[in-house]
Amino acid sequence: MLDRRTFENTFRDHHAACLAFAVHYTGDLHEAEEVVQQVFLRLWEKRETIDVTGAMRSYLFAAIRNTAISNWRKETVRQEKEQVAGDLHAAGGQAQSPAWELERMYHRALEVLPDRCREVFILSRQQQLKYAEIADVMNISVKTVENQMGKALKIMHKELKEYLHVLLL
């Protein structure tokens, strides 16, 4: 558990190093500041349940790295979706929105998944739960979650070959 004073000391002691580390991953000071802010906000929000057993700096650096990578992926996906939507629009001039068409194909592929697979996939990819959290919610083992996710990803890959890089990152 992290009390207010410990959090403030952690912020004061590690903020500069965290910012420098984040700049290494993002290459942009503004983006690095955003990543560090996200990490410290998450740390504060989870202060009641968080248990940092190792060095705090190592924990923060790992969180910064993961957040920076996650933000980069989200931005890449957003840009790719815009590109695909633009390509679809330019190619067909269809009456339906390209974004709507991608969404429709994604949901059609979800329907192909077996029920348990679909539920695991949605909890992981849409609700962003960790495998252990999914296991708790569904009352199954983490290994079962891993197996179901593997199966779901294989099926989704087959169903969405053209748009996999856009939809699943």
Side-chain angles (χ1 to χ4, degrees):
M1 186 166 133
L2 206 60
D3 63 14
R4 183 181 184 95
R5 183 179 215 170
T6 304
F7 177 81
E8 288 172 352
N9 289 337
T10 299
F11 182 85
R12 192 174 16 266
D13 293 345
H14 299 286
H15 184 267
C18 287
L19 186 57
F21 187 74
V23 167
H24 167 74
Y25 273 92
T26 63
D28 178 68
L29 181 60
H30 176 71
E31 197 173 326
E33 288 172 342
E34 181 68 26
V35 167
V36 171
Q37 182 178 2
Q38 286 176 303
V39 168
F40 276 104
L41 178 62
R42 209 170 314 119
L43 181 65
W44 178 251
E45 289 172 344
K46 295 182 178 189
R47 69 188 176 277
E48 302 278 329
T49 58
I50 198 156
D51 181 28
V52 180
T53 54
M56 179 59 80
R57 185 171 286 200
S58 296
Y59 172 84
L60 291 170
F61 280 11
I64 287 167
R65 182 189 67 240
N66 293 340
T67 301
I69 291 169
S70 177
N71 289 353
W72 174 80
R73 283 182 178 157
K74 287 175 186 172
E75 179 60 21
T76 301
V77 167
R78 186 192 64 75
Q79 290 174 358
E80 287 178 348
K81 282 183 179 180
E82 286 178 1
Q83 179 65 40
V84 168
D87 292 349
L88 284 174
H89 183 67
Q94 302 168 349
Q96 295 289 353
S97 158
W100 181 87
E101 180 67 20
L102 287 172
E103 189 74 18
R104 186 179 63 78
M105 292 177 351
Y106 172 76
H107 286 288
R108 185 183 300 156
L110 274 178
E111 291 173 11
V112 172
L113 295 175
D115 292 339
R116 184 184 263 185
C117 256
R118 183 181 321 111
E119 188 174 355
V120 167
F121 184 84
I122 289 171
L123 289 172
S124 174
R125 296 301 169 121
Q126 292 178 5
Q127 303 298 319
Q128 297 182 339
L129 295 180
K130 294 179 169 59
Y131 285 6
E133 294 170 326
I134 295 169
D136 287 342
V137 167
M138 294 182 66
N139 199 23
I140 57 177
S141 72
V142 174
K143 190 67 174 169
T144 301
V145 172
E146 291 170 358
N147 290 336
Q148 291 297 310
M149 233 358 239
K151 185 177 180 180
L153 289 171
K154 203 177 286 186
I155 293 169
M156 293 296 282
H157 182 269
K158 179 182 170 197
E159 295 294 319
L160 299 167
K161 286 179 193 171
E162 291 181 52
Y163 300 102
L164 184 67
H165 68 286
V166 175
L167 296 173
L168 297 180
L169 283 178

